[in-house]
Amino acid sequence: MRVRYRVDGNLQDALKIPKKNQNAVLARLKIMSGMSITESRIPQDGRFKIRIHKKEVDFRVSALPTSFGTKIVLRALDKSNLSIGLSTLGFSEYSLKKFKEAIAMPFGMILVTGPTGSGKSTTLYSVVNQLNNPDKNIMTIEDPVEYQVEGITQMQANPDIGLTFANGLRSILRQSPDIIMIGEIRDTETADIAIKASLTGQLVLSTLHTNDAATAINRLVDMGVEPFLIASSVILVAAQRLCRVICKNCKGKGGDCKMCYSTGYRGRRAVLEVLSVDDKMREIIIEKASTDDIKSYAISQGMKTLREDAMEKYKQGVTTMEEVLRITSEE
């Protein structure tokens, strides 16, 4: 039985467990996660908490039946990463300024885009955490709920019983929310309700799967949302990636470094492309401009592309040129 750790996005072998101990290990993990130990034919999901070094860490667990037993994936969710707020996520000065301006708005929509595992949820949770105080009614609908945060109302979408993002969102709007976080905008119905909510006095935060910030605007158009609604509601779109940080202990040399498992990297930083929607941008969106036109105007107003932001981190000695090219290969 093989155990691997994914450290800073890369999988590496950690240890082997004898086959005879397989069932005992699987049963223990299933019991801890609140799963059925008698069921091994269908996938299951669960979660558990443990204290490590006086810190509470949440684990999200997924069990998948395979030919020779079960594959279990544990995702460690460290809530202490969220309490630090936006300032310590490694944003550039420009990105941070634009984010702070956007979350100070009383209503509108903020979108974070990027592939799976690019840190979108952590960024949104950090925003939510920064806004989390008793005079704000903050509600989320997610699938699944990633981090459990005190003081906010979190709801798990469950399409199997008809609780889709769209249906859940309709119910949330009857609860007088100030800020709504939607795990992901996957369909036209969710996009439509989310945008209308952001026009009627709520600050709406969500994610989309697009490669860059400008494409997100036209993705909403493709979903059937009217351009004038997008122009009126969206206040900021950020495209995000994560770049690995050069290990401070071995200065990226690797060798026999225990701190970075000889990889030369330790930790990750957010690389961002932040598109801010001003009056001229609204006109461009209403005119159904191409993604290139939207991007060109945003750059003329000071937007740094993903590659430029990554290059900035390379020049500062934070990361390597290999990482810059790896995470911005589509540019």
Side-chain angles (χ1 to χ4, degrees):
M1 190 182 183
R2 180 169 64 168
V3 179
R4 289 182 292 175
Y5 294 148
R6 189 181 289 282
V7 182
D8 295 334
N10 288 22
L11 270 178
Q12 43 198 257
D13 273 324
L15 66 141
K16 295 262 196 300
I17 293 173
K19 188 73 177 172
K20 66 176 194 288
N21 299 343
Q22 176 179 296
N23 290 343
V25 172
L26 294 176
R28 179 76 189 118
L29 284 170
K30 283 185 173 182
I31 289 165
M32 286 171 74
S33 315
M35 296 179 194
S36 164
I37 55 168
T38 57
E39 183 55 81
S40 58
R41 297 163 304 167
I42 56 168
Q44 294 186 73
D45 291 299
R47 62 194 312 152
F48 65 87
K49 284 183 181 143
I50 52 172
R51 290 192 80 78
I52 304 171
H53 306 309
K54 298 183 180 172
K55 198 159 65 170
E56 198 170 70
V57 180
D58 228 340
F59 282 89
R60 213 171 78 207
V61 187
S62 165
L64 189 78
T66 62
S67 305
F68 297 101
T70 303
K71 184 182 177 81
I72 288 199
V73 174
L74 291 87
R75 186 169 181 183
L77 300 162
D78 182 359
K79 271 191 287 212
S80 63
N81 288 344
L82 304 180
S83 55
I84 52 182
L86 285 172
S87 310
T88 43
L89 289 176
F91 289 7
S92 68
E93 212 172 302
Y94 174 84
S95 303
L96 190 59
K97 178 174 167 279
K98 290 295 176 191
F99 251 100
K100 284 184 171 172
E101 284 170 9
I103 66 176
M105 304 285 263
F107 57 88
M109 182 183 266
I110 295 170
L111 291 169
V112 181
T113 82
T116 305
S118 57
K120 301 186 295 290
S121 296
T122 304
T123 295
L124 284 188
Y125 269 108
S126 297
V127 170
V128 163
N129 234 31
Q130 200 145 325
L131 299 168
N132 187 7
N133 58 53
D135 64 354
K136 290 269 189 291
N137 179 10
I138 303 177
M139 302 188 74
T140 79
I141 177 159
E142 303 164 70
D143 184 20
V145 170
E146 295 234 0
Y147 296 94
Q148 291 165 335
V149 183
E150 201 175 328
I152 71 174
T153 308
Q154 294 169 280
M155 184 166 148
Q156 168 103 30
N158 188 347
D160 295 343
I161 57 165
L163 182 52
T164 58
F165 274 119
N167 290 339
L169 196 46
R170 278 195 194 92
S171 304
I172 282 174
L173 289 171
R174 298 186 201 112
Q175 297 265 325
S176 165
D178 298 298
I179 297 157
I180 303 167
M181 184 176 112
I182 306 158
E184 189 190 334
I185 293 177
R186 294 178 185 165
D187 54 61
T188 306
E189 202 180 1
T190 309
D192 196 50
I193 303 164
I195 280 188
K196 282 171 183 161
S198 71
L199 290 170
T200 54
Q202 280 89 22
L203 187 64
V204 176
L205 314 167
S206 192
T207 70
L208 266 178
H209 280 283
T210 64
N211 282 340
D212 62 7
T215 310
I217 302 291
N218 284 332
R219 174 62 52 84
L220 291 172
V221 174
D222 294 343
M223 282 180 165
V225 181
E226 291 290 345
F228 74 90
L229 287 176
I230 299 166
S232 318
S233 61
V234 177
I235 49 179
L236 181 138
V237 185
Q240 181 168 315
R241 298 290 184 279
L242 292 175
C243 72
R244 292 186 293 170
V245 174
I246 293 169
C247 173
K248 289 187 174 70
N249 186 49
C250 67
K251 304 286 187 287
K253 302 284 186 292
D256 288 329
C257 181
K258 299 276 188 292
M259 297 286 282
C260 67
Y261 299 97
S262 308
T263 60
Y265 298 100
R266 183 172 163 82
R268 289 187 290 180
R269 285 273 180 87
V271 170
L272 279 157
E273 176 176 285
V274 178
L275 182 152
S276 193
V277 180
D278 59 14
D279 289 341
K280 175 74 176 142
M281 180 66 86
R282 288 187 187 98
E283 285 173 26
I284 292 170
I285 294 168
I286 290 167
E287 287 162 8
K288 298 186 180 176
S290 69
T291 299
D292 287 344
D293 290 345
I294 292 170
K295 189 168 187 170
S296 298
Y297 175 70
I299 290 168
S300 76
Q301 295 305 296
M303 178 182 90
K304 282 192 172 75
T305 63
L306 282 165
R307 172 142 306 173
E308 285 168 345
D309 195 39
M311 281 299 290
E312 201 67 38
K313 287 180 169 56
Y314 166 68
K315 287 172 190 163
Q316 291 162 0
V318 171
T319 192
T320 61
M321 185 53 82
E322 286 79 12
E323 276 295 282
V324 170
L325 298 173
R326 182 181 70 83
I327 63 166
T328 62
S329 57
E330 66 263 17
E331 286 205 15

